Amino acid sequence: MIETQPDISLAQFAGKIRNGEVVAFPTETVYGLGADVWNADAVARIFELKGRPPDNPLIVHVSSIEMVETVVSDISDDARRLMERFWPGPLAIIFPKRPEVLDIVTAGLPTVAVRMPDHPIPLRLISEAGPIAAPSANTSGRPSPTRAEHVRQDFGDDVPVIDGGSCQYGLESTVLDLSIMPYTILRPGRITQSELEQVLERPVRLAVLDPAGLAQLKNAPRSPGMKYTHYAPNARVRWMVEEECCPPGPPHRDKPANHTLYLLHRGQNSGDSPVHPHNAGDLGPGDQVIDYKGDYTEMARDLYDRFRMADLKGFREIAIEPFSGHDDGTTALLNRIEKAIGQGG
Ligand code: AMP
Ligand code: MG
């Protein structure tokens, strides 16, 4: 199903971008669907292909700090510290935009989100083609793609894909708004609240898991994408209920319901569990019960692939073991699961 297009070199992909085409490429977070940031028709094509609402702005991808200056009107000292510490990496920073940046890219906002991906393929593309506006390379509402095959599932032959294998992190970047006080994480990701606070030496608010912050954002959305349901497979995603969570003692059922995919993560589900967990490193595509055994890095990397696989395998439900709270390692995961369930922002 995947055409890796080995006949097309990276330089040719860069040429396509310069020609106003839309191209999908891997990053360390998820695959991106990119176009020349200065080409309004090419950027419009991204929205058209994805079915993305026009009020949901794109992230501009750069390959150097000098390139940031071509789209941003002011770089604060705090922004510089963050770029030096976390770039290239999964942190998108919101800056005041230069007036030349097209409204279609920023959905008419006076700000622009910018990040430098930590992946050789987009870094090369961008250094040859200039800044690339790119959202995730999925159709709107589908889980973000973490493999080239996922891009093909959503776009078929409409979009040429550079196949870089599986994405290393597997969830979208952290989005940090430096244009409001307190500085606010609009979308949690691999770069965590405490890592940001350590570098900035001041408190940073995590909007999505703070009810007051979320209400404020919903009333006057800073990150318009937050109001849309994202990341959802066709199967219904829900939390496991207590009987399914296999407390010590006799199992409540001999077998899990066969239309349900179970995702466990705390790793205590073994022995007389009614479900038969696998190690995260030993997953098969048709497995019905997956146990990440506390490996949240693996769970994040695998989540969207697992969501898509559940649909392909005909599972009607995905039941996920509840989290007892959240910490730096689980905030982004919990946020994406809540969004898939429909509880999140
Ligand atoms: P995607 O790349 O598809 O994961 O979407 C980009 C995310 O960044 C969306 O949630 C956008 O709402 C958010 N975003 C992009 N630009 C801005 C901006 N200028 N201000 C606030 N949020 C933004
Ligand atoms: Mg997206």
Side-chain angles (χ1 to χ4, degrees):
M1 193 169 154
I2 311 177
E3 272 176 58
T4 49
Q5 311 213 6
D7 49 319
I8 306 185
S9 69
L10 262 189
Q12 286 170 303
F13 273 102
K16 283 175 180 288
I17 299 234
R18 280 195 305 265
N19 276 338
E21 287 179 51
V22 172
V23 159
F25 54 86
T27 77
E28 81 280 31
T29 58
V30 300
Y31 274 72
L33 189 65
D36 173 3
V37 76
W38 305 115
N39 184 327
D41 292 337
V43 176
R45 177 93 180 114
I46 293 178
F47 282 87
E48 187 190 322
L49 280 162
K50 281 182 65 87
R52 186 178 177 99
D55 64 351
N56 193 1
L58 308 182
I59 293 173
V60 176
H61 293 68
V62 297
S63 60
S64 67
I65 292 186
E66 299 78 73
M67 207 181 268
V68 180
E69 287 161 8
T70 65
V71 291
V72 157
S73 64
D74 178 54
I75 302 180
S76 66
D77 290 345
D78 281 343
R80 271 187 204 284
R81 281 156 82 181
L82 293 172
M83 293 189 292
E84 272 159 31
R85 171 68 183 77
F86 297 112
W87 282 10
L91 174 68
I93 301 174
I94 297 188
F95 293 94
K97 79 171 186 96
R98 273 186 179 272
E100 307 89 278
V101 176
L102 301 168
D103 273 346
I104 189 169
V105 171
T106 64
L109 294 174
T111 53
V112 60
V114 185
R115 98 172 183 97
M116 189 191 296
D118 186 12
H119 196 294
I121 290 175
L123 288 177
R124 256 248 356 250
L125 269 188
I126 297 161
S127 58
E128 291 188 24
I132 293 178
S136 51
N138 52 290
T139 50
S140 255
R142 294 281 293 152
S144 294
T146 55
R147 298 196 286 130
E149 188 186 328
H150 300 162
V151 182
R152 292 270 167 216
Q153 287 168 3
D154 286 10
F155 299 109
D157 292 332
D158 290 347
V159 174
V161 188
I162 307 173
D163 190 342
S166 294
C167 296
Q168 194 198 335
Y169 176 49
L171 300 178
E172 303 82 351
S173 58
T174 304
V175 176
L176 178 68
D177 195 342
L178 295 184
S179 72
I180 43 174
M181 285 294 178
Y183 293 155
T184 300
I185 296 171
L186 300 178
R187 177 172 75 185
R190 172 75 189 75
I191 306 298
T192 64
Q193 182 180 25
S194 51
E195 286 178 295
L196 294 168
E197 287 178 335
Q198 221 166 24
V199 171
L200 292 166
E201 299 173 300
R202 63 168 87 221
V204 169
R205 187 171 63 173
L206 182 58
V208 283
L209 295 174
D210 159 5
L214 192 55
Q216 188 196 340
L217 284 168
K218 276 190 166 158
N219 290 336
R222 306 281 315 184
S223 189
M226 295 186 61
K227 68 176 189 258
Y228 299 109
T229 310
H230 281 320
Y231 324 123
N234 298 323
R236 182 173 80 101
V237 185
R238 63 169 175 84
W239 295 118
M240 285 165 76
V241 293
E242 197 159 342
E243 307 85 84
E244 295 170 305
C245 283
C246 327
H252 292 254
R253 276 211 301 266
D254 288 341
K255 267 213 222 137
N258 63 14
H259 60 260
T260 305
L261 169 68
Y262 289 90
L263 301 183
L264 315 180
H265 52 79
R266 286 184 227 158
Q268 81 278 43
N269 302 279
S270 56
D272 52 5
S273 154
V275 293
H276 302 285
H278 297 257
N279 287 314
D282 185 27
L283 310 181
D287 287 344
Q288 193 184 354
V289 181
I290 311 298
D291 191 346
Y292 296 98
K293 292 191 182 295
D295 187 346
Y296 292 104
T297 306
E298 176 60 24
M299 190 174 185
R301 190 171 20 230
D302 193 52
L303 187 76
Y304 292 148
D305 190 21
R306 201 52 50 183
F307 279 2
R308 283 174 178 265
M309 222 178 293
D311 285 347
L312 291 176
K313 297 283 165 191
F315 287 107
R316 294 210 299 269
E317 287 190 325
I318 300 167
I320 304 180
E321 182 180 9
F323 287 70
S324 44
H326 68 94
D327 56 29
D328 266 2
T330 57
T331 300
L333 248 179
L334 181 56
N335 168 255
R336 301 313 191 276
I337 293 169
E338 286 187 335
K339 285 209 153 214
I341 292 177
Q343 297 176 343

